[in-house]
Amino acid sequence: MNTTGGVPVGRWSNRLLRTLPREPSALLEQDLRQVSLTQGRVCFEAGKAIDQVYFPLTGMISLLVATGDGEMVETGTIGCEGAAGLQCGLGESYSYGLATVQIPGNFATITAKRFREVASSSLPIRDLIYRYTEILWSEAQQSAACNAVHAGSARLCRWLLRTADCIDSNVILLTQEYLADMLGVRRTTVTLLAQELQSRGAIRYTRGRIHILDRGALEARACECYQAIKQKNLILDIGVNAHSG
């Protein structure tokens, strides 16, 4: 796993890092390291202490909760707009669920210990932690409602759009098996839903790779949860930039 460090925060592609004011950015720069992580890499285990903060640059992290029968339910996703483990900046924290790399890519990381030290002396970073934690809780609630009441086709469109936003790309490296797990449906169901979207020209699917061809078509078929989550992240972005200014 290759790593690099000492890169100015303003040059990272993660939105949270880029919106930080100059002073807290300078505190983080020498300790952030860029790493390349593969799909399935465990970032945090349920009930275990959070020892790193992950800022996705090109990949995506899924937040998962196990059910009583051993199934995993996705409660949130974190891409280039956010960070995983950010709450450890307020004190020693333990992960409620499992956090894994869903889309492989590059991530900026910093140890929890060092991040707490920086956060303790930076009001803008602590404010960012509060704001972003609220967004994650809102997304978890929105996902719970979505999984309970919306049809598989609408949820698939929402998930594809949300993932494309997270990685800032219309090409998603993901197998149907993984996608079925994230949506909580059978693989055959995902196959049928994907075939329908492909026939309408919204996506092109080859093994392990989904190309979004028509975002408008996906947005038209997605449930309202996509716009709700997107709006919450926009509010976070506006708030951080207003605070920074």
Side-chain angles (χ1 to χ4, degrees), residues 178-229:
Y178 269 97
L179 189 51
D181 288 342
M182 294 305 98
L183 294 174
V185 299
R186 297 179 182 275
R187 180 189 172 187
T188 53
T189 300
V190 170
T191 299
L192 292 173
L193 294 175
Q195 287 175 347
E196 180 186 2
L197 291 176
Q198 188 162 248
S199 69
R200 293 175 178 270
I203 67 171
R204 182 174 71 250
Y205 179 77
T206 55
R207 183 167 179 79
R209 189 181 297 265
I210 300 172
H211 297 255
I212 295 178
L213 305 177
D214 189 342
R215 286 187 61 95
L218 289 181
E219 290 182 8
R221 297 176 64 83
C223 57
E224 67 268 22
C225 297
Y226 170 65
Q227 290 297 337
I229 293 173

Side-chain angles (χ1 to χ4, degrees), residues 18-244:
R18 290 176 67 89
T19 54
L20 283 173
R22 180 175 300 177
E23 185 176 341
S25 293
L27 293 173
L28 291 173
E29 281 175 4
Q30 295 305 313
D31 296 287
L32 282 168
R33 296 292 182 269
Q34 180 174 315
V35 298
S36 179
L37 302 178
T38 57
Q39 187 179 63
R41 165 70 179 268
V42 175
C43 300
F44 315 128
E45 294 187 32
K48 299 293 182 66
I50 294 174
D51 59 357
Q52 295 274 338
V53 181
Y54 296 83
F55 296 88
L57 305 176
T58 60
M60 187 181 83
I61 292 172
S62 285
L63 305 178
L64 306 163
V65 174
T67 63
D69 58 4
E71 296 293 325
M72 302 300 295
V73 178
E74 186 179 72
T75 61
T77 55
I78 298 173
C80 61
E81 83 297 335
L86 205 66
Q87 66 270 30
C88 75
L90 301 177
E92 187 173 359
S93 300
Y94 294 82
S95 180
Y96 177 75
L98 178 70
T100 67
V101 175
Q102 188 65 267
I103 305 294
N106 296 324
F107 299 77
T109 69
I110 185 172
T111 66
K113 180 178 182 295
R114 178 54 182 158
F115 188 67
R116 276 194 294 274
E117 293 172 352
V118 174
S120 68
S121 61
S122 173
L123 178 60
I125 290 180
R126 295 197 301 276
D127 182 62
L128 181 65
I129 295 169
Y130 287 123
R131 289 173 182 270
Y132 187 66
T133 299
E134 183 179 350
I135 292 296
L136 282 184
W137 276 110
S138 298
E139 183 176 346
Q141 294 177 65
Q142 192 79 49
S143 295
C146 184
N147 291 335
V149 301
H150 291 147
S153 177
R155 289 193 290 123
L156 173 59
C157 292
R158 185 264 298 174
W159 198 93
L160 291 175
L161 288 165
R162 173 70 180 134
T163 301
D165 291 344
C166 280
I167 62 176
D168 196 24
S169 172
N170 285 325
V171 180
I172 301 171
L173 303 178
L174 197 69
T175 65
Q176 289 190 4
E177 290 89 344
Y178 269 97
L179 189 51
D181 288 342
M182 294 305 98
L183 294 174
V185 299
R186 297 179 182 275
R187 180 189 172 187
T188 53
T189 300
V190 170
T191 299
L192 292 173
L193 294 175
Q195 287 175 347
E196 180 186 2
L197 291 176
Q198 188 162 248
S199 69
R200 293 175 178 270
I203 67 171
R204 182 174 71 250
Y205 179 77
T206 55
R207 183 167 179 79
R209 189 181 297 265
I210 300 172
H211 297 255
I212 295 178
L213 305 177
D214 189 342
R215 286 187 61 95
L218 289 181
E219 290 182 8
R221 297 176 64 83
C223 57
E224 67 268 22
C225 297
Y226 170 65
Q227 290 297 337
I229 293 173
K230 185 177 181 179
Q231 184 64 27
K232 288 183 177 69
N233 278 284
L234 176 61
I235 291 172
L236 169 69
D237 191 42
I238 292 173
V240 169
N241 277 294
H243 187 91
S244 301

